[in-house]
Amino acid sequence: MSLQLEKPHPLLASYLQQLATHPLRTKAITNATLCFLQEVLGSHIAHMPVKKPAPDAPVLSHLLARAHVDTRAVKMALYGFLVSAPLSHFLVGALQKAFAGKTGTGAKLAQIFASNLLVAPTQTSAYLASMAIISGAKSVDEVINTIKTGFFAVIRIQWITSPIALTIAQRFIPVELWIPFFNAIQFVLGTYFNARVKQLRAAAAKKAAKEKDEGEN
């Protein structure tokens, strides 16, 4: 049974009010902010080297560089605002409407299966396509290859975490708090995987540079 929401914090109450009155806009701003922070925090956690601007660049440019605020972070924010939020809004909204008022065990299991077989694959494909474009893909074939290469690695994680999160939400989280709850989970996981990918890429680049030096010598 879901916990009853009593006297939420004023900030949370204000956020929930915005979700109720302007759902898509609020979700878009939220996702943009979280995607931006994931990118910045991922760079800090992975100890990525700072890309120093020109010596004569404005002070603000140097401060942003030290904070790992770069064009990729901005692009991630745009992805959250223009792709992730609208897609999640319509897919999850349709899922909630389809199972509204259905509290039986069969309905809950059906909701989990529908999420894993319909919602998750669509979101994963959109995410990988967007990451390919952000990373510099120049053609449709490059985008498709990125989706093919990373789809099952990403969807496996979705299939593990999504049922657990949805089960917890079904049992303990009031429906009005589902969006903040899922956002929090996605933010933590997204930040972790962002940092992990950066670490792996840095290690691979370092190994390739070392092998090149050894080959030249």
Side-chain angles (χ1 to χ4, degrees), residues 3 11 36 59 69 75 82 91 103 120 124 128 130 135 137 139 158 160 167 175 188 195 216:
L3 297 175
L11 290 177
F36 178 84
V59 175
V69 177
K75 290 177 181 178
L82 298 174
L91 290 177
T103 59
T124 297
L128 291 172
S130 299
S135 298
S139 66
Q158 289 268 31
I160 292 172
T167 299
V175 174
V188 173
E216 292 176 352

PDB file of all heavy atoms in Angstrom, residues 3 11 36 59 69 75 82 91 103 120 124 128 130 135 137 139 158 160 167 175 188 195 216:
ATOM      1  N   LEU A   3       2.319   4.914   0.755  1.00  0.00           N
ATOM      2  CA  LEU A   3       2.335   5.780   1.912  1.00  0.00           C
ATOM      3  C   LEU A   3       1.512   7.026   1.613  1.00  0.00           C
ATOM      4  O   LEU A   3       1.440   7.483   0.486  1.00  0.00           O
ATOM      5  CB  LEU A   3       3.783   6.187   2.246  1.00  0.00           C
ATOM      6  CG  LEU A   3       4.732   5.050   2.640  1.00  0.00           C
ATOM      7  CD1 LEU A   3       6.140   5.604   2.816  1.00  0.00           C
ATOM      8  CD2 LEU A   3       4.279   4.368   3.915  1.00  0.00           C
ATOM      9  N   LEU A  11       8.714  23.550  -0.739  1.00  0.00           N
ATOM     10  CA  LEU A  11       9.333  23.485  -2.065  1.00  0.00           C
ATOM     11  C   LEU A  11       8.784  22.302  -2.862  1.00  0.00           C
ATOM     12  O   LEU A  11       8.519  22.422  -4.062  1.00  0.00           O
ATOM     13  CB  LEU A  11      10.854  23.383  -1.936  1.00  0.00           C
ATOM     14  CG  LEU A  11      11.575  24.632  -1.444  1.00  0.00           C
ATOM     15  CD1 LEU A  11      13.069  24.367  -1.297  1.00  0.00           C
ATOM     16  CD2 LEU A  11      11.337  25.800  -2.403  1.00  0.00           C
ATOM     17  N   PHE A  36      22.095  18.000 -17.323  1.00  0.00           N
ATOM     18  CA  PHE A  36      23.229  18.921 -17.238  1.00  0.00           C
ATOM     19  C   PHE A  36      24.116  18.561 -16.047  1.00  0.00           C
ATOM     20  O   PHE A  36      25.344  18.455 -16.172  1.00  0.00           O
ATOM     21  CB  PHE A  36      22.710  20.349 -17.114  1.00  0.00           C
ATOM     22  CG  PHE A  36      23.786  21.392 -16.960  1.00  0.00           C
ATOM     23  CD1 PHE A  36      24.417  21.914 -18.074  1.00  0.00           C
ATOM     24  CD2 PHE A  36      24.152  21.852 -15.704  1.00  0.00           C
ATOM     25  CE1 PHE A  36      25.408  22.882 -17.936  1.00  0.00           C
ATOM     26  CE2 PHE A  36      25.135  22.818 -15.554  1.00  0.00           C
ATOM     27  CZ  PHE A  36      25.765  23.330 -16.674  1.00  0.00           C
ATOM     28  N   VAL A  59      37.315  35.707 -17.765  1.00  0.00           N
ATOM     29  CA  VAL A  59      37.404  34.978 -16.496  1.00  0.00           C
ATOM     30  C   VAL A  59      36.294  33.950 -16.381  1.00  0.00           C
ATOM     31  O   VAL A  59      36.496  32.830 -15.874  1.00  0.00           O
ATOM     32  CB  VAL A  59      37.346  35.962 -15.306  1.00  0.00           C
ATOM     33  CG1 VAL A  59      37.311  35.196 -13.979  1.00  0.00           C
ATOM     34  CG2 VAL A  59      38.527  36.910 -15.344  1.00  0.00           C
ATOM     35  N   VAL A  69      31.895  22.755 -17.110  1.00  0.00           N
ATOM     36  CA  VAL A  69      30.706  23.187 -17.839  1.00  0.00           C
ATOM     37  C   VAL A  69      31.135  23.497 -19.264  1.00  0.00           C
ATOM     38  O   VAL A  69      31.768  24.521 -19.530  1.00  0.00           O
ATOM     39  CB  VAL A  69      30.066  24.425 -17.190  1.00  0.00           C
ATOM     40  CG1 VAL A  69      28.880  24.905 -18.016  1.00  0.00           C
ATOM     41  CG2 VAL A  69      29.630  24.112 -15.761  1.00  0.00           C
ATOM     42  N   LYS A  75      24.605  20.459 -24.418  1.00  0.00           N
ATOM     43  CA  LYS A  75      23.893  19.545 -25.319  1.00  0.00           C
ATOM     44  C   LYS A  75      23.092  18.509 -24.525  1.00  0.00           C
ATOM     45  O   LYS A  75      21.982  18.131 -24.920  1.00  0.00           O
ATOM     46  CB  LYS A  75      24.881  18.840 -26.244  1.00  0.00           C
ATOM     47  CG  LYS A  75      25.504  19.755 -27.292  1.00  0.00           C
ATOM     48  CD  LYS A  75      26.514  19.012 -28.129  1.00  0.00           C
ATOM     49  CE  LYS A  75      27.161  19.928 -29.163  1.00  0.00           C
ATOM     50  NZ  LYS A  75      28.198  19.205 -29.965  1.00  0.00           N
ATOM     51  N   LEU A  82      14.419  18.570 -24.730  1.00  0.00           N
ATOM     52  CA  LEU A  82      13.723  18.384 -26.007  1.00  0.00           C
ATOM     53  C   LEU A  82      13.378  16.924 -26.333  1.00  0.00           C
ATOM     54  O   LEU A  82      12.478  16.673 -27.127  1.00  0.00           O
ATOM     55  CB  LEU A  82      14.578  18.951 -27.148  1.00  0.00           C
ATOM     56  CG  LEU A  82      14.873  20.449 -27.074  1.00  0.00           C
ATOM     57  CD1 LEU A  82      15.833  20.842 -28.179  1.00  0.00           C
ATOM     58  CD2 LEU A  82      13.591  21.262 -27.159  1.00  0.00           C
ATOM     59  N   LEU A  91       5.020   8.587 -22.809  1.00  0.00           N
ATOM     60  CA  LEU A  91       5.067   7.137 -22.618  1.00  0.00           C
ATOM     61  C   LEU A  91       4.610   6.736 -21.222  1.00  0.00           C
ATOM     62  O   LEU A  91       3.750   5.856 -21.058  1.00  0.00           O
ATOM     63  CB  LEU A  91       6.483   6.622 -22.878  1.00  0.00           C
ATOM     64  CG  LEU A  91       6.978   6.659 -24.325  1.00  0.00           C
ATOM     65  CD1 LEU A  91       8.420   6.178 -24.407  1.00  0.00           C
ATOM     66  CD2 LEU A  91       6.091   5.805 -25.225  1.00  0.00           C
ATOM     67  N   THR A 103      -5.323  -2.117  -9.105  1.00  0.00           N
ATOM     68  CA  THR A 103      -4.406  -2.366  -7.991  1.00  0.00           C
ATOM     69  C   THR A 103      -4.128  -3.845  -7.763  1.00  0.00           C
ATOM     70  O   THR A 103      -3.371  -4.197  -6.868  1.00  0.00           O
ATOM     71  CB  THR A 103      -4.967  -1.766  -6.699  1.00  0.00           C
ATOM     72  OG1 THR A 103      -6.258  -2.348  -6.422  1.00  0.00           O
ATOM     73  CG2 THR A 103      -5.111  -0.258  -6.814  1.00  0.00           C
ATOM     74  N   ALA A 120      10.666   1.028 -22.021  1.00  0.00           N
ATOM     75  CA  ALA A 120      12.123   0.997 -21.898  1.00  0.00           C
ATOM     76  C   ALA A 120      12.853   0.903 -23.247  1.00  0.00           C
ATOM     77  O   ALA A 120      13.808   1.648 -23.480  1.00  0.00           O
ATOM     78  CB  ALA A 120      12.547  -0.152 -20.981  1.00  0.00           C
ATOM     79  N   THR A 124      15.378   3.771 -24.535  1.00  0.00           N
ATOM     80  CA  THR A 124      16.773   3.393 -24.752  1.00  0.00           C
ATOM     81  C   THR A 124      17.235   3.760 -26.155  1.00  0.00           C
ATOM     82  O   THR A 124      18.337   4.298 -26.345  1.00  0.00           O
ATOM     83  CB  THR A 124      16.954   1.881 -24.521  1.00  0.00           C
ATOM     84  OG1 THR A 124      16.657   1.575 -23.151  1.00  0.00           O
ATOM     85  CG2 THR A 124      18.381   1.441 -24.825  1.00  0.00           C
ATOM     86  N   LEU A 128      20.247   6.438 -26.955  1.00  0.00           N
ATOM     87  CA  LEU A 128      21.462   6.087 -27.702  1.00  0.00           C
ATOM     88  C   LEU A 128      21.593   6.916 -28.976  1.00  0.00           C
ATOM     89  O   LEU A 128      22.697   7.343 -29.338  1.00  0.00           O
ATOM     90  CB  LEU A 128      21.451   4.591 -28.042  1.00  0.00           C
ATOM     91  CG  LEU A 128      21.628   3.656 -26.839  1.00  0.00           C
ATOM     92  CD1 LEU A 128      21.400   2.209 -27.263  1.00  0.00           C
ATOM     93  CD2 LEU A 128      23.021   3.815 -26.232  1.00  0.00           C
ATOM     94  N   SER A 130      20.448   9.928 -29.416  1.00  0.00           N
ATOM     95  CA  SER A 130      20.821  11.279 -28.991  1.00  0.00           C
ATOM     96  C   SER A 130      22.287  11.339 -28.588  1.00  0.00           C
ATOM     97  O   SER A 130      22.995  12.301 -28.923  1.00  0.00           O
ATOM     98  CB  SER A 130      19.940  11.721 -27.817  1.00  0.00           C
ATOM     99  OG  SER A 130      18.576  11.752 -28.183  1.00  0.00           O
ATOM    100  N   SER A 135      27.788  13.024 -29.554  1.00  0.00           N
ATOM    101  CA  SER A 135      29.197  12.623 -29.664  1.00  0.00           C
ATOM    102  C   SER A 135      29.785  12.884 -31.043  1.00  0.00           C
ATOM    103  O   SER A 135      30.964  12.599 -31.270  1.00  0.00           O
ATOM    104  CB  SER A 135      29.340  11.138 -29.311  1.00  0.00           C
ATOM    105  OG  SER A 135      28.947  10.902 -27.969  1.00  0.00           O
ATOM    106  N   ALA A 137      28.138  12.038 -34.311  1.00  0.00           N
ATOM    107  CA  ALA A 137      27.734  11.193 -35.443  1.00  0.00           C
ATOM    108  C   ALA A 137      27.314  12.069 -36.611  1.00  0.00           C
ATOM    109  O   ALA A 137      26.569  13.030 -36.443  1.00  0.00           O
ATOM    110  CB  ALA A 137      26.592  10.272 -35.032  1.00  0.00           C
ATOM    111  N   SER A 139      26.131  10.719 -39.738  1.00  0.00           N
ATOM    112  CA  SER A 139      25.193  10.100 -40.671  1.00  0.00           C
ATOM    113  C   SER A 139      24.192   9.236 -39.921  1.00  0.00           C
ATOM    114  O   SER A 139      24.393   8.884 -38.747  1.00  0.00           O
ATOM    115  CB  SER A 139      25.951   9.233 -41.680  1.00  0.00           C
ATOM    116  OG  SER A 139      26.555   8.120 -41.038  1.00  0.00           O
ATOM    117  N   GLN A 158      18.166  -1.375 -17.648  1.00  0.00           N
ATOM    118  CA  GLN A 158      16.776  -0.939 -17.496  1.00  0.00           C
ATOM    119  C   GLN A 158      15.903  -2.071 -16.979  1.00  0.00           C
ATOM    120  O   GLN A 158      15.040  -1.871 -16.121  1.00  0.00           O
ATOM    121  CB  GLN A 158      16.240  -0.453 -18.848  1.00  0.00           C
ATOM    122  CG  GLN A 158      16.843   0.860 -19.311  1.00  0.00           C
ATOM    123  CD  GLN A 158      16.014   2.063 -18.879  1.00  0.00           C
ATOM    124  OE1 GLN A 158      15.364   2.034 -17.844  1.00  0.00           O
ATOM    125  NE2 GLN A 158      16.051   3.105 -19.675  1.00  0.00           N
ATOM    126  N   ILE A 160      16.715  -4.497 -15.161  1.00  0.00           N
ATOM    127  CA  ILE A 160      17.017  -4.840 -13.771  1.00  0.00           C
ATOM    128  C   ILE A 160      16.471  -3.778 -12.824  1.00  0.00           C
ATOM    129  O   ILE A 160      15.812  -4.086 -11.828  1.00  0.00           O
ATOM    130  CB  ILE A 160      18.542  -4.994 -13.566  1.00  0.00           C
ATOM    131  CG1 ILE A 160      19.045  -6.226 -14.331  1.00  0.00           C
ATOM    132  CG2 ILE A 160      18.872  -5.130 -12.079  1.00  0.00           C
ATOM    133  CD1 ILE A 160      20.554  -6.356 -14.347  1.00  0.00           C
ATOM    134  N   THR A 167       8.128  -1.534  -8.677  1.00  0.00           N
ATOM    135  CA  THR A 167       7.524  -2.293  -7.584  1.00  0.00           C
ATOM    136  C   THR A 167       7.506  -1.467  -6.298  1.00  0.00           C
ATOM    137  O   THR A 167       6.503  -1.446  -5.575  1.00  0.00           O
ATOM    138  CB  THR A 167       8.292  -3.603  -7.348  1.00  0.00           C
ATOM    139  OG1 THR A 167       8.248  -4.404  -8.533  1.00  0.00           O
ATOM    140  CG2 THR A 167       7.683  -4.390  -6.201  1.00  0.00           C
ATOM    141  N   VAL A 175       1.172   8.168  -5.872  1.00  0.00           N
ATOM    142  CA  VAL A 175       1.251   8.387  -7.323  1.00  0.00           C
ATOM    143  C   VAL A 175       1.782   9.776  -7.655  1.00  0.00           C
ATOM    144  O   VAL A 175       2.553   9.944  -8.604  1.00  0.00           O
ATOM    145  CB  VAL A 175      -0.142   8.176  -7.963  1.00  0.00           C
ATOM    146  CG1 VAL A 175      -0.100   8.536  -9.439  1.00  0.00           C
ATOM    147  CG2 VAL A 175      -0.590   6.723  -7.795  1.00  0.00           C
ATOM    148  N   VAL A 188      20.790   9.370 -10.111  1.00  0.00           N
ATOM    149  CA  VAL A 188      21.887   8.654  -9.452  1.00  0.00           C
ATOM    150  C   VAL A 188      22.533   7.665 -10.419  1.00  0.00           C
ATOM    151  O   VAL A 188      23.765   7.625 -10.568  1.00  0.00           O
ATOM    152  CB  VAL A 188      21.383   7.923  -8.191  1.00  0.00           C
ATOM    153  CG1 VAL A 188      22.483   7.036  -7.614  1.00  0.00           C
ATOM    154  CG2 VAL A 188      20.928   8.931  -7.145  1.00  0.00           C
ATOM    155  N   ALA A 195      30.017   8.820 -15.251  1.00  0.00           N
ATOM    156  CA  ALA A 195      31.382   8.836 -14.730  1.00  0.00           C
ATOM    157  C   ALA A 195      32.136   7.574 -15.139  1.00  0.00           C
ATOM    158  O   ALA A 195      33.322   7.632 -15.509  1.00  0.00           O
ATOM    159  CB  ALA A 195      31.360   8.964 -13.207  1.00  0.00           C
ATOM    160  N   GLU A 216      56.325   3.224 -31.761  1.00  0.00           N
ATOM    161  CA  GLU A 216      57.256   4.148 -32.416  1.00  0.00           C
ATOM    162  C   GLU A 216      58.671   3.951 -31.935  1.00  0.00           C
ATOM    163  O   GLU A 216      59.641   4.199 -32.681  1.00  0.00           O
ATOM    164  CB  GLU A 216      56.797   5.588 -32.174  1.00  0.00           C
ATOM    165  CG  GLU A 216      55.499   5.934 -32.871  1.00  0.00           C
ATOM    166  CD  GLU A 216      55.021   7.337 -32.524  1.00  0.00           C
ATOM    167  OE1 GLU A 216      55.641   7.940 -31.616  1.00  0.00           O
ATOM    168  OE2 GLU A 216      54.064   7.820 -33.174  1.00  0.00           O
TER     169      GLU A 216
END
